[in-house]
Amino acid sequence: MIRTQLKTYHRPDDLKEALTLLQQGGKTARLIGGGIDLALHLPPDVTALIDLSRLPLSSIEEGSNGITIGATATMTEALEHPAIASYLNGVIVTTLRQVASPLLRNLATIGGTLVSTHPWSDVIPLFLALGAEVTLVGEISERIPLSNLYDSRERLKGKILTVVHLPKPAAGTAAAFRQFSRTGFDVALLNCACFVRVEDGRCLETRIIAGGTPRLASSLPKAEESLIGAALTEETIEKTARIAQESSSVGDDRRASADYRRKLVYVGVKRSLSEIKDRLEETKR
């Protein structure tokens, strides 16, 4: 489709120039990374695109505090990076391999995926479960939990997400992801991601996230609270999965009914927590 509404296409050489163009353009300007979303759904009032490909925002680095992923790093680049492959037994790689097709993963950027706020996103629930943080640059630079990014769309107004931060996993931690879809390339009917940190046989930290409900991924606090202080056994996993099922806010759309999604929450949480239990037991051997 020819985008005749577009009047300007900018390729800034640095972040300052990109921010100036974004703030000057206001509602008529959009940032472009891989460009997949804008190619499919360009808002009618957008007349200017700001291409971030020249900015040095595509590096992936491992440090003493975890991993930093530049916003314009593609899913394929993340898949092929050794630090990502080894992070929590490869849970990120396992998840990314389920996203779209290889050709789309060559274009789709990590930062663009997070700011797109698609309800069916597989990356958002996983990164929420991992406790990711992001750096936003505008008039000031701020580093915030990824979960705070979705409190209000105003968070992104006039700002650029530049870096994604993944914390270094502590001892006794594991994570898992489950997606339910009709085909390998279809978007999720529902997905979920879980993270657990165990110390002295008890769960001290938990994050249980459900996405594609069909709303944007969010935590299930009642299910999370049910695990705190408990041993990760088959009985507690069953109880937590039931609580997740009962407390999840799900709805109908053309892909699935609310009742079916509620059942998928139970299955996804139970399978994820069971995988985490097995992972943690393996590390003891």
Side-chain angles (χ1 to χ4, degrees), residues 99-254:
V99 178
S101 67
L103 291 177
L104 286 178
R105 292 196 294 265
N106 289 342
L107 287 173
T109 63
I110 297 297
T113 300
L114 296 180
V115 301
S116 66
T117 61
H118 289 311
W120 58 81
S121 169
D122 296 318
V123 179
I124 290 174
L126 176 65
F127 278 36
L128 285 172
L130 296 178
E133 297 182 337
V134 295
T135 294
L136 299 179
V137 178
E139 293 184 2
I140 61 170
S141 176
E142 58 177 341
R143 178 168 165 172
I144 63 172
L146 176 62
S147 56
N148 290 5
L149 183 67
Y150 304 124
D151 292 343
S152 170
R153 290 297 295 176
E154 291 298 309
R155 278 277 192 185
L156 281 170
K157 188 176 181 180
K159 300 175 183 176
I160 299 176
L161 190 155
T162 58
V163 182
V164 181
H165 309 268
L166 295 173
K168 182 178 180 179
T173 60
F177 171 84
R178 284 292 184 279
Q179 181 218 64
F180 302 94
S181 61
R182 291 172 295 186
T183 70
F185 294 154
D186 197 11
V187 299
L189 302 172
L190 184 128
N191 51 37
C192 66
C194 297
F195 170 94
V196 177
R197 179 167 68 90
V198 173
E199 188 174 312
D200 296 328
R202 302 289 172 178
C203 299
L204 295 187
E205 186 179 5
T206 63
R207 284 187 287 272
I208 299 176
I209 313 293
T213 59
R215 289 170 286 276
L216 184 66
S218 61
S219 63
L220 301 176
K222 291 184 179 179
E224 293 172 343
E225 292 166 7
S226 72
L227 271 181
I228 298 297
L232 196 61
T233 64
E234 292 182 4
E235 291 75 15
T236 57
I237 289 173
E238 172 69 21
K239 176 185 175 182
T240 300
R242 289 297 180 192
I243 293 173
Q245 179 183 22
E246 294 164 4
S247 63
S248 59
S249 177
V250 296
D252 301 291
D253 68 0
R254 61 190 176 88

Side-chain angles (χ1 to χ4, degrees), residues 5-56:
Q5 71 193 64
L6 292 175
K7 297 179 181 178
T8 53
Y9 189 93
H10 305 283
R11 296 191 72 190
D13 293 314
D14 55 50
L15 190 57
K16 183 179 180 180
E17 183 184 357
L19 283 167
T20 299
L21 291 168
L22 181 62
Q23 291 162 2
Q24 289 176 346
K27 293 182 179 180
T28 67
R30 286 290 187 280
L31 300 171
I32 181 170
I36 294 174
D37 274 0
L38 292 178
L40 295 173
H41 309 290
L42 184 68
D45 57 345
V46 173
T47 60
L49 297 180
I50 304 167
D51 187 341
L52 302 179
S53 61
R54 284 184 177 173
L55 277 59

Side-chain angles (χ1 to χ4, degrees), residues 33-36 57-60 69-81 84 92 96 102-113 123 127:
I36 294 174
L57 297 176
S58 62
S59 64
I60 301 174
I69 305 173
T72 61
T74 66
M75 290 187 185
T76 297
E77 288 170 334
L79 272 168
E80 295 175 349
H81 198 280
I84 301 292
I92 299 175
L96 292 180
L103 291 177
L104 286 178
R105 292 196 294 265
N106 289 342
L107 287 173
T109 63
I110 297 297
T113 300
V123 179
F127 278 36

